[in-house]
Amino acid sequence: MKAFKCAAAAFAVLGVVGSGQALAACPANSTMNHTELNSTFPGNTVCAVRGSNRWQEFHQAGGALVDWKKGPADPVDPTKQVGSWSVNGTGANARMVYNYGSGGTYTYRVVSNGGGLYSFCNGDEVHDATVRPGQQSCGF
């Protein structure tokens, strides 16, 4: 279970090394605006899988970003706050911003693909994700 920052680093390496797979382009659907972002993500868990990288981050209302890891009761890899998230901009310029402290800050354009599927786009990187209600495991 990786945070967006870990997955972004893995995708950058795959792009440089050349895995034989081209990175997908961001969908042409409309970018979610600030109202949509602020009503979809607070209080919910984003689940994403790309190759062997998997991550599940709870978007706490107020901006805390919590990595589920193996759950709050796990003695080795418990749930913990890994950074913060926010929505910056308005209209088509709205972006999700993830701040992992010394791990960096990442900005994504978010596209709703319908059926509960979303794409987080940052340049050539595309992270496809789903959203689960509340704070919970994504089941992987």
Side-chain angles (χ1 to χ4, degrees):
M1 294 168 273
K2 306 285 184 190
F4 280 111
K5 64 180 178 121
C6 295
F11 300 139
V13 169
L14 285 175
V16 172
V17 173
S19 67
Q21 283 183 302
L23 294 176
C26 192
N29 303 359
S30 297
T31 299
M32 294 176 71
N33 66 41
H34 64 285
T35 302
E36 295 165 325
L37 295 172
N38 282 313
S39 65
T40 301
F41 295 99
N44 294 316
T45 301
V46 173
C47 305
V49 177
R50 178 132 182 170
S52 63
N53 292 306
R54 301 170 193 273
W55 60 101
Q56 45 197 357
E57 293 177 337
F58 175 64
H59 291 62
Q60 192 170 42
L65 187 65
V66 179
D67 187 358
W68 180 263
K69 299 189 180 238
K70 292 186 178 179
D74 189 87
V76 177
D77 200 10
T79 298
K80 73 174 186 176
Q81 183 173 347
V82 293
S84 63
W85 72 278
S86 61
V87 175
N88 286 355
T90 60
N93 294 318
R95 300 292 185 264
M96 293 283 283
V97 178
Y98 293 88
N99 185 335
Y100 296 94
S102 62
T105 301
Y106 301 86
T107 302
Y108 296 93
R109 179 170 66 92
V110 182
V111 175
S112 174
N113 299 314
L117 301 174
Y118 300 87
S119 292
F120 287 74
C121 308
N122 178 351
D124 290 335
E125 293 178 12
V126 179
H127 306 283
D128 293 320
T130 59
V131 175
R132 289 187 171 220
Q135 182 177 11
Q136 61 175 302
S137 170
C138 294
F140 44 71

